[in-house]
Each structure stands twice: as C-alpha cells, then as structure tokens.
Amino acid sequence: MSKNKKSGPDEPAAGGDSAGISRGVSTLAVHGGEARRKHADAITDPIFCASTYTFPDTQSVIDFIEKKLPREEYGRYGNPTERVVERKLAALEGGEEALLFSSGMAAIVGLLMSKLDAGDEVVFFDECYHRSRQFCTQHLSRFGVTTRQVPACDYEAMQAAITPRTKLLISESPTNPHLSVVDLERFAAIGKKHGVETLIDATLGTPYNVRPIAAGVDYVLHSATKYLAGHNDLLAGVIVGSKEKIDPIRRLRGIMGAISSPHNVFLLVRGLKTFELRMQRHNENGLAVARFLAAHPRVAKVYYPGLECHPYHEVARRTMRGFGGLVTFLVKDADWRQTADVVDAVRIPRIAPSLGGVESLIEQPLVMSYFECTPQQREQYRIPDNMIRLACGIENTEDLIADLQQALTG
C-alpha cells in the first residue's frame, strides 16, 4: 500500500465497479454500491445503531454544512448502511439516485407531498394499490389537490385528463391485482409531450423484469418490502430517479422522518444479494402456475401477462424480461364463500396480504382488501367475489401445482 493512501474503507464506485464496466443483475445485487474494502475489513457492511454522529471540532461542522465533508450528522437524515443500499438500488434500476423510505406507502406519500401544491392535479391509471388511491382521493384532496382516474392503459383518456395544472402521471406496471402492463415508452412520451413528470410503481415488475427509467419515466417506486427484500421480514420503500429530482424528496424525508431502522436496512442489503436468483424462480413459478390454472376446468379466467391470452401479452413480451410471481384468477361459477373454500384448502401458500417473499401467499381480494367497500365500489374497481390472488414464492413448482390441484378438486 502506498504511504499516502489513507487506511480505511475504499470509496464505493457507482454500480460497485471502479472501471465503469457494465455488470449483470446478480453482480450488481451482490456488489453494487458497496466499497471493496469495508470497515474493519469485514465482507459485509455493518449495522450502525447510532441516532447521532459526532464532530471532532467546529470546523468539521462547517465543512459538513458547506458539503465539503461527506458524512452523517443525525439518524433522521441518513445512515452509512442506508447509503449503501440506496446506491445498490440505483445501480439495479439504472438510475442516478435512490431514496429509501420506511415503507412503499411512505415513499409515494413523500414523493407526492414534495411535488404537489394546492390546486395541482395528478392523473392515475385506475388499476392500482387501493391505499395509493385512498391517500390521493381522501387525503391529498383535503389540501386542494385533485386526483383524476382514467382506465388502465387508456393512453388517449390519460392525455385527455391532462390540464395545465397536472403535475404528475401515475401508474403501476404490472398493475395490482389485474396485472395489466403499461407501454412505458408511450406513457413517458405523454408526460414529456405535456411537460408533466411520470411515476411508475414497478413493485410487481422489479428492476429484474422492467426498466422504466430506460424507457424515459422520471420516477420509479418500489415497495422494497416485496421482491427486493424478498423474505417477508421487513418494511421498506424506495424511489429512484435523477439526483435533481430526488433531492427535494430527500429534504422532505429528513423532516418527515419516514426512515428505515438500521436493522431493517441491513436485512434489505442481505436480501438483495439473492435478488436475481429469487426472481428467476418467481418468474418460473408464476408462468407455470398460470398455465396450469388456465387449463383447469374450475378456473374461469387467469390474469397473467405471460399468457398469450392476456390482453397486454404483446406489450409484456416486448418490454419485460419475465412476468413475475403474482397470478390472479377467477373460480368458475363460485360465490365468495365457495372462493374462500379454495383459499382455505391450500396447504403451501399462507393466507396473508403482500407478495414477493420466498413463501407463497394467497388471498381473496374481496375479503383482504375490499371487504368494507360497497358492491358498487367493488364493481368499479373490478374486484369480483370469485377472484383469488396468488403470490408464488420460490417453492418447487410441482409442489405448488399439486397443492392447487387438490384445493380446486375438493
């Protein structure tokens, strides 16, 4: 080692590669955003259980304020391990900057609150996570923000809904639970044409299967609780975009305090190491289960973009690497209790909300998410009584199919 080289961790390079060489998904998931030499020469980044960070002298404080000294100040504004996972997520997404939140909902709330003022408008494709819709229609409305909803993937309707006050176009892709797939380039082009920023919630797609930023989308959002963390043991959310666009959201997060705990951040870094391997199995299981269900006599309809019969299959085939582990289907000629009997009969998936973990989960959207809605609201959101949402984990494919076979036969 050169005498002039300081001891201690190396500076992390963008994407974890000092030569700027393009790397594969697993290489980025394992090494992206990390210094090659870490504290105490450990191979993993440590957990920093610190609420505050000390300064050796007053000049150090001034240097920090003037951005001459990159370091932490207070736990609400950042954590060294959090910086690692943000760099890693930015590298995986192909974005310039990532910002971690305490949950996916905290992430979308943080973005909306930082970007919108009274009198502004947002336009949603209407197939979306019901809490995202609820925040906009019930809470942003109290601050004078208008939410306009148009049918999913109806680009003409989205353009028609844009007014001079529109500040953000929002969609999921694929959508939840119908798994409609947005033409990301077309979506981004609408925003650019009208000077409106665009946001894609790619939680179901993941950076393994879809790349919204490469398509020209301004912001990508993930509930990192799901596929990114992958083990059903933490809550986290992330927004990825340009540094210029992310900086004001980061400043608001420092005020809101919607941060992840040091242990959660450590678990997220650890979960990301196996991201590509897990996604390959999720994709395999999702497609195999969807094909099985599509051929089963007790199944009326399957929502899965990997199936040729899916209305957005061609868009999915063109824009996605794989189609994910989420499969939604309708039980033929079943009321809600008969549908619940199928859910109760499976032995491998657990009945629970969420998705993207190594364990398969199953739910009846009517009961789990829309039980308190009126029949008219459920019809509006296209949530029939006989709908089941299955989030395939990484179990053996043949075991999942055999389990579904016995549940549908009983």
Side-chain angles (χ1 to χ4, degrees):
M1 179 185 293
S2 167
K3 291 182 180 180
N4 295 325
K5 182 176 177 64
K6 67 177 181 179
S7 61
D10 298 334
E11 279 297 309
D17 188 285
S18 58
I21 300 170
S22 177
R23 299 297 191 191
V25 176
S26 267
T27 305
L28 289 175
V30 174
H31 299 291
E34 298 187 15
R36 184 162 180 82
R37 184 183 175 197
K38 301 181 175 69
H39 294 276
D41 296 307
I43 196 167
T44 57
D45 284 279
I47 302 172
F48 290 87
C49 292
S51 60
T52 192
Y53 300 84
T54 63
F55 293 82
D57 51 46
T58 300
Q59 186 59 49
S60 297
V61 179
I62 295 170
D63 290 343
F64 169 74
I65 293 171
E66 294 180 343
K67 302 187 185 306
K68 297 176 183 176
L69 186 64
R71 49 154 293 157
E72 306 304 334
E73 173 199 9
Y74 187 64
R76 197 172 70 245
Y77 305 130
N79 175 291
T81 317
E82 179 186 75
R83 307 289 185 190
V84 172
V85 75
E86 288 179 343
R87 291 192 297 266
K88 189 182 294 290
L89 290 168
L92 283 169
E93 196 61 70
E96 191 174 297
E97 186 107 345
L99 179 60
L100 199 64
F101 282 83
S102 54
S103 68
M105 276 307 303
I108 193 168
V109 168
L111 184 146
L112 293 171
M113 294 299 288
S114 70
K115 297 295 177 179
L116 301 173
D117 295 315
D120 288 344
E121 299 179 357
V122 296
V123 180
F124 261 88
F125 277 151
D126 63 354
E127 292 179 6
C128 64
Y129 178 49
H130 66 289
R131 297 302 185 193
S132 299
R133 179 193 297 117
Q134 183 180 23
F135 176 72
C136 289
T137 58
Q138 295 184 18
H139 299 284
L140 278 183
S141 59
R142 295 188 294 115
F143 301 98
V145 175
T146 298
T147 300
R148 303 185 185 278
Q149 297 186 65
V150 299
C153 300
D154 188 335
Y155 306 99
E156 288 77 15
M158 175 164 274
Q159 287 204 78
I162 295 172
T163 76
R165 293 185 173 184
T166 304
K167 293 298 174 64
L168 200 59
L169 307 180
I170 302 174
S171 181
E172 298 176 7
S173 189
T175 63
N176 180 16
H178 300 89
L179 296 158
S180 299
V181 179
V182 172
D183 185 327
L184 298 174
E185 290 185 353
R186 188 172 181 183
F187 177 78
I190 293 172
K192 287 180 170 55
K193 176 182 177 182
H194 294 275
V196 179
E197 292 185 330
T198 49
L199 164 67
I200 286 288
D201 180 339
T203 296
L204 270 62
T206 81
Y208 183 75
N209 286 331
V210 297
R211 302 304 295 272
I213 288 177
V217 173
D218 293 302
Y219 304 98
V220 181
L221 181 143
H222 295 276
S223 171
T225 307
K226 313 299 194 298
Y227 288 112
L228 294 174
H231 293 79
N232 290 320
D233 57 3
L234 65 90
L235 298 177
V238 66
I239 299 171
V240 184
S242 69
K243 186 178 187 307
E244 178 184 8
K245 294 181 183 300
I246 294 295
D247 275 350
I249 312 173
R250 186 180 295 278
R251 289 193 291 271
L252 180 61
R253 190 198 66 170
I255 298 170
M256 293 170 58
I259 58 170
S260 289
S261 73
H263 285 84
N264 268 13
V265 173
F266 171 79
L267 287 173
L268 179 52
V269 172
R270 187 176 68 168
L272 281 166
K273 302 284 186 176
T274 58
F275 172 62
E276 182 176 38
L277 301 177
R278 290 186 287 101
M279 285 311 304
Q280 289 170 347
R281 177 59 72 88
H282 284 300
N283 286 343
E284 291 168 6
N285 280 349
L287 183 58
V289 165
R291 285 174 172 165
F292 162 77
L293 290 169
H296 198 283
R298 280 205 70 196
V299 175
K301 183 175 182 178
V302 179
Y303 302 81
Y304 189 75
L307 297 180
E308 290 77 4
C309 61
H310 191 279
Y312 300 105
H313 174 69
E314 284 305 311
V315 176
R317 189 178 59 81
R318 175 167 49 85
T319 61
M320 300 181 73
R321 186 201 302 254
F323 309 108
L326 194 72
V327 184
T328 302
F329 63 100
L330 306 182
V331 182
K332 185 178 292 183
D333 300 325
D335 60 23
W336 80 269
R337 291 187 182 277
Q338 291 166 326
T339 304
D341 288 341
V342 176
V343 172
D344 291 344
V346 298
R347 293 293 173 260
I348 295 176
R350 311 293 180 87
I351 301 173
S354 199
L355 58 106
V358 294
E359 299 92 355
S360 291
L361 302 176
I362 194 168
E363 64 162 91
Q364 189 175 357
L366 162 69
V367 176
M368 189 67 73
S369 300
Y370 293 88
F371 197 72
E372 296 180 349
C373 291
T374 65
Q376 293 76 20
Q377 288 173 319
R378 291 197 291 269
E379 182 178 0
Q380 176 189 350
Y381 302 142
R382 297 181 291 284
I383 305 295
D385 294 0
N386 61 337
M387 176 180 277
I388 293 176
R389 194 188 80 165
L390 172 64
C392 297
I394 65 168
E395 299 94 346
N396 294 98
T397 310
E398 58 271 21
D399 293 334
L400 289 175
I401 290 175
D403 190 27
L404 287 166
Q405 177 66 52
Q406 66 81 26
L408 288 164
T409 302

